Amino acid sequence: MLHVKIAGLGHYLPERIVTNADLEADYGLETGWIERVTGIKERRRATHETTVHMGAIAGQRALAAAGLAIDDVDLIVAAASGRQQAIPCTAAYLQRELGAPDGGSTCFDIDATCLSFLVALQSVAHLVAAGSYRTALIITSERTGYALNPNQPESAVLFGDAAAAAVIVRTPVNEASAVVWEQFATYSSGADLTTILGGGTLHHPNDPTTTPEMNTFAMNGSAIYKKAARISELFLDSFFVRTGWAREEIDAAVPHQASGHALEILARRYGFRREQLIINLPSRGNCIAASIPLALAEAVADGRIDRGNRVVLLGTGAGLTLGAIGVIF
Amino acid sequence: MLHVKIAGLGHYLPERIVTNADLEADYGLETGWIERVTGIKERRRATHETTVHMGAIAGQRALAAAGLAIDDVDLIVAAASGRQQAIPCTAAYLQRELGAPDGGSTCFDIDATCLSFLVALQSVAHLVAAGSYRTALIITSERTGYALNPNQPESAVLFGDAAAAAVIVRTPVNEASAVVWEQFATYSSGADLTTILGGGTLHHPNDPTTTPEMNTFAMNGSAIYKKAARISELFLDSFFVRTGWAREEIDAAVPHQASGHALEILARRYGFRREQLIINLPSRGNCIAASIPLALAEAVADGRIDRGNRVVLLGTGAGLTLGAIGVIF
C-alpha cells in the first residue's frame, strides 16, 4: 500500500468529431457496421493539435484540478504508445510547452502501448512514496494520424485521439487515498498480434525496404480476444486476492476501452457488475494509452468516482500485457 | 539509500569494427581528423544484429554474471533511445528472445535518450527495494543504422552500437551494495539542440512532408557543450552534497561517453581525477544510452570496479537532461 494520491486529473479532446458515417464512407463499409461490430458511435481525431499540444493542455487541467502550479512539478513522465519525435523524449517538450521551470523537473517517457499510463503510475507512485519526487505529472497523449491502417478498417475505425493527465503526490495525513496494489504480466507469445512494425531500428523510415503499411497499425483482433480471455481470469482472480477486495466491493472499474467485445467480457465473464464499469468507448473510441486516464478523468469530473472510492484501473495492451492497479481514490 | 544491488552486468558488441579510416573515406574527411577532434579510434556497428538480438545476449550475460536464471526475472525494462519497432515495446520482444516464461515478467520501455539506463535504474531500484519485483533486468541496446546523418559527419562518426544489461535485486543481508542517491534535471530550453525530428507523430514516416534527413540525428555540439558546462557544475555540487561523498572518495566515475570534449571537462572543470574516470570512448564511440552500462560492465569485468566501491554513474542526454546516480557497487 503506497500512500500516494491522484491529486488531480485533466484531459483534452481534439475539436474534430469523426462519425461512423464519415468512416463508413471512407472505407466503403455498410451503414451501421461500425456501431454494430465495435460499439463505437464517434471518436475525436486531431487536426492542428500535436501530441505535445494536447498533452500540455491535459497537464494544465490536471494541475488546476489539483490546485497546484506548474512550478510545483518536479517529475514529468510522458506515458504513451506514440511519441512526438524520436529524440528527445516527449516529456522534455511537455516541460517546455507547459512553461515549467528550466531544470526544475526530471523528464522521461514510458511505453507499454495501451498500458503505458498504468505502468507509469506504478513507477511514479513508488518514486513519490519514497520521496524522490514531490509532485509528478503523468501525461498520456495519443495522436494516431498516419498510423491508422487504411487496409485494415476494422482496426482503423476503433481509434480515437485524446490526451489525459494525472498529478501524483503523497497522500496528506488524515486522507485515505492510496495505491493499494499494482499487477502486470507480459505474454510475449502474443507480441505479434498487435504491431506497428516500423518506427524503430528493424524497419527504419529511411530503410528502402520499409513499406508504408509497416508504419501502420496491424491487429489480429480475434486471436487477441481469445488469448486475453484465456489468461485474464487467473490474472484478475490473483489481483483481487492481493488487494484483499471482493469484486462487489469495487466502486468503479475503469477498463482500457479496447473494443465493445473486450468491455462486454468484463461483465459477462469476469464478474464485474455493469454499473461498476466506466465506459466511454461509444463517444471516444479506443484512445490507446489515453483510454484509461481519460475515462477516469471524465468519471471523476462528472461525479461517478469520488474520494475514498475503491477503483480498479485495468486493461490489456500490445505485448501482450495485462495490467491492473487498485487505488483508493 | 535503497538496499538494492547490481547483481550482474553483461554486454554485447557487434562483430563489425568501423575504423576512422573507413569513415574518413566515406565522408571525405582529412586523415586523422576524427581522432584529433573526437578522441575516438574505432567503434562497432551492427550488421545482422538487431536491437533485440544484441539486447538479449547482453541480458543473458548479465544473468550469468549474477548467477541467476531467466526464470527468476519478473521485470524486463528496455531502456534506450532506440526501439525495435513502434508497437509493441522492445521489452516484450526481449522477453521472447530470452526464452523467459510467458506471463512471468512485466515488460515496458523507458526512454530518456542517452540517460535511459540511469532513469530506468532509478525507477527499477525503487520497485525492487519496495518488493514489487524481485529480479529486474534492465537492457539497453542501441543500433544506430539508418539514423546516422550523412550530412552531419561530425555527429555520424561519434556513434557506435552496443548493448548492455544489468540485473537488479535486493541487497542480501550483510552486504553493502546500495543505490545511495539519484538526481536528474531536464533543461528543455535545450530540447532542440539534439534531435531526431522524425519517428513520431510530428513527422510520421508516412507523412509526405517528412524528409529522410528528419529521420536522422541532428546535433548542435558546441551549443550543447556550452549549455551543459554552465549547468553541470551546480548540479554536481548538489549531487555530492546529497550523497555525502567528497569527489576524492569516489572509486570510479562512469560518465556517458558523449565525446572527448565532454569527458575532458570532467577532469579539467568538475574536479574528478583522471584515474577515477572509466573511459571507453576511444574503442567504443558514443553508444548513446548503452555507453554508461557498457563502460560499467567492462570496468567490472576487468577488475577496475569492485564490490563495495563508491561509483558515480553520470551524464548528459538530449532533453537536455543531466543525471547522476551514486551506488555502492
Side-chain angles (χ1 to χ4, degrees):
Chain A
M1 171 101 84
L2 299 169
H3 294 284
V4 299
K5 174 185 181 179
I6 300 174
L9 290 153
H11 67 279
Y12 177 81
L13 293 168
E15 289 169 14
R16 183 164 69 109
I17 294 173
V18 175
T19 66
N20 287 350
D22 295 336
L23 295 179
E24 282 160 357
D26 288 353
Y27 294 118
L29 300 167
E30 183 196 322
T31 301
W33 185 90
I34 296 176
E35 187 174 351
R36 198 175 68 247
V37 172
T38 71
I40 300 167
K41 293 175 198 289
E42 61 179 41
R43 75 288 295 144
R44 304 295 181 105
R45 293 273 174 85
T47 49
H48 63 284
E49 301 109 326
T50 64
T51 298
V52 165
H53 175 76
M54 296 197 298
I57 295 175
Q60 284 162 346
R61 291 175 178 170
L63 284 165
L68 291 168
I70 186 63
D71 289 21
D72 297 319
V73 173
D74 55 1
L75 175 63
I76 301 173
V77 177
S81 79
R83 59 192 183 184
Q84 175 96 347
Q85 62 194 55
I87 291 177
C89 64
T90 303
Y93 282 109
L94 286 166
Q95 185 196 67
R96 197 167 75 176
E97 184 88 0
L98 283 160
D102 207 33
S105 48
T106 300
C107 298
F108 63 88
D109 291 2
I110 282 187
D111 172 20
T113 319
C114 293
L115 295 184
S116 301
F117 179 82
L118 288 198
V119 164
L121 179 57
Q122 178 182 44
S123 282
V124 167
H126 280 276
L127 291 167
V128 169
S132 292
Y133 300 99
R134 278 189 298 265
T135 307
L137 191 50
I138 305 174
I139 298 181
T140 300
S141 181
E142 296 282 18
R143 186 190 201 288
T144 50
Y146 288 98
L148 297 170
N149 186 343
N151 300 319
Q152 198 179 79
E154 65 275 22
S155 74
V157 302
L158 289 176
F159 296 111
D161 299 343
V167 178
I168 312 298
V169 300
R170 279 175 104 151
T171 305
V173 180
N174 299 328
E175 291 187 21
S177 298
V179 169
V180 174
W181 182 250
E182 331 101 48
Q183 186 169 321
F184 297 92
T186 300
Y187 293 80
S188 57
S189 60
D192 292 331
L193 297 179
T194 315
T195 60
I196 293 179
L197 294 173
T201 56
L202 197 62
H203 302 287
H204 189 274
N206 289 359
D207 182 339
T209 68
T210 301
T211 64
E213 189 161 10
M214 287 178 181
N215 297 318
T216 67
F217 194 80
M219 185 171 84
N220 184 338
S222 67
I224 297 163
Y225 183 79
K226 277 185 209 159
K227 189 174 187 72
R230 192 170 53 72
I231 57 184
S232 293
E233 206 158 348
L234 287 177
F235 180 86
L236 285 173
D237 285 348
S238 164
F239 174 80
F240 281 106
V241 167
R242 299 307 186 97
T243 55
W245 293 345
R247 274 173 181 69
E248 57 272 22
E249 294 176 324
I250 302 305
D251 296 296
V254 185
H256 173 50
Q257 315 282 314
S259 69
H261 286 300
L263 294 172
E264 189 58 30
I265 205 175
L266 288 169
R268 283 224 326 273
R269 191 157 168 172
Y270 302 141
F272 291 97
R273 282 176 288 117
R274 278 170 210 279
E275 59 272 26
Q276 291 176 307
L277 297 175
I278 303 294
I279 291 177
N280 66 2
L281 183 77
S283 59
R284 308 298 180 219
N286 174 341
C287 298
I288 320 178
S291 264
I292 294 173
L294 173 63
L296 177 64
E298 291 184 314
V300 169
D302 67 15
R304 282 175 291 160
I305 293 177
D306 276 327
R307 287 288 165 204
N309 281 182
R310 290 177 174 184
V311 179
V312 177
L313 313 173
L314 76 165
T316 307
L320 177 81
T321 301
L322 307 184
I325 295 186
V327 303
I328 299 172
F329 184 71
Chain B
M1 171 100 84
L2 300 170
H3 293 283
V4 299
K5 174 185 181 179
I6 300 174
L9 290 153
H11 67 280
Y12 177 80
L13 293 168
E15 288 169 13
R16 184 165 68 111
I17 294 173
V18 175
T19 65
N20 286 351
D22 296 337
L23 295 179
E24 282 160 359
D26 288 354
Y27 294 118
L29 299 168
E30 184 196 323
T31 301
W33 184 89
I34 296 176
E35 187 173 350
R36 198 176 68 246
V37 172
T38 70
I40 300 167
K41 293 175 198 290
E42 61 180 42
R43 77 285 296 145
R44 303 296 180 105
R45 293 272 172 85
T47 50
H48 62 285
E49 302 107 327
T50 64
T51 298
V52 165
H53 175 77
M54 296 197 298
I57 296 176
Q60 284 163 345
R61 291 175 179 170
L63 284 165
L68 292 167
I70 186 63
D71 289 21
D72 297 318
V73 173
D74 55 2
L75 175 63
I76 300 173
V77 176
S81 78
R83 58 193 185 185
Q84 175 96 348
Q85 61 195 53
I87 291 178
C89 63
T90 303
Y93 281 109
L94 285 166
Q95 185 197 67
R96 197 167 76 175
E97 183 87 0
L98 283 160
D102 208 33
S105 47
T106 301
C107 298
F108 64 88
D109 292 2
I110 282 187
D111 173 20
T113 321
C114 292
L115 295 185
S116 301
F117 178 83
L118 288 198
V119 164
L121 179 57
Q122 179 182 42
S123 282
V124 167
H126 280 276
L127 291 167
V128 169
S132 293
Y133 300 99
R134 278 189 299 266
T135 306
L137 191 50
I138 306 173
I139 298 181
T140 300
S141 182
E142 297 281 18
R143 186 190 201 289
T144 50
Y146 288 97
L148 297 170
N149 186 343
N151 301 319
Q152 197 180 78
E154 66 276 21
S155 75
V157 302
L158 289 177
F159 295 112
D161 298 344
V167 178
I168 312 298
V169 300
R170 279 176 105 153
T171 304
V173 180
N174 299 326
E175 291 187 20
S177 298
V179 169
V180 174
W181 182 250
E182 331 101 47
Q183 187 169 321
F184 297 91
T186 300
Y187 293 79
S188 57
S189 60
D192 291 330
L193 298 178
T194 315
T195 60
I196 293 179
L197 294 173
T201 56
L202 197 63
H203 301 288
H204 190 272
N206 289 0
D207 182 339
T209 68
T210 300
T211 65
E213 189 162 11
M214 287 177 180
N215 296 316
T216 66
F217 193 80
M219 184 172 83
N220 183 339
S222 67
I224 297 163
Y225 183 79
K226 278 185 208 158
K227 190 175 185 70
R230 193 170 52 72
I231 58 185
S232 293
E233 206 158 347
L234 286 177
F235 181 86
L236 285 172
D237 284 349
S238 164
F239 174 80
F240 281 106
V241 167
R242 298 306 186 97
T243 55
W245 293 345
R247 274 172 181 71
E248 56 273 21
E249 293 175 325
I250 302 306
D251 295 297
V254 184
H256 173 50
Q257 315 282 313
S259 69
H261 286 302
L263 295 172
E264 188 58 31
I265 204 175
L266 288 169
R268 283 222 329 270
R269 191 159 167 172
Y270 301 141
F272 291 98
R273 282 175 287 116
R274 278 170 210 279
E275 59 271 27
Q276 290 176 308
L277 297 175
I278 303 294
I279 291 176
N280 66 3
L281 182 78
S283 59
R284 307 298 180 220
N286 174 340
C287 298
I288 319 178
S291 264
I292 293 174
L294 174 63
L296 178 65
E298 292 185 313
V300 169
D302 67 14
R304 281 174 292 160
I305 293 176
D306 276 327
R307 286 290 166 204
N309 280 183
R310 291 177 175 185
V311 179
V312 177
L313 312 172
L314 76 165
T316 307
L320 177 80
T321 301
L322 307 185
I325 295 186
V327 304
I328 298 170
F329 185 70

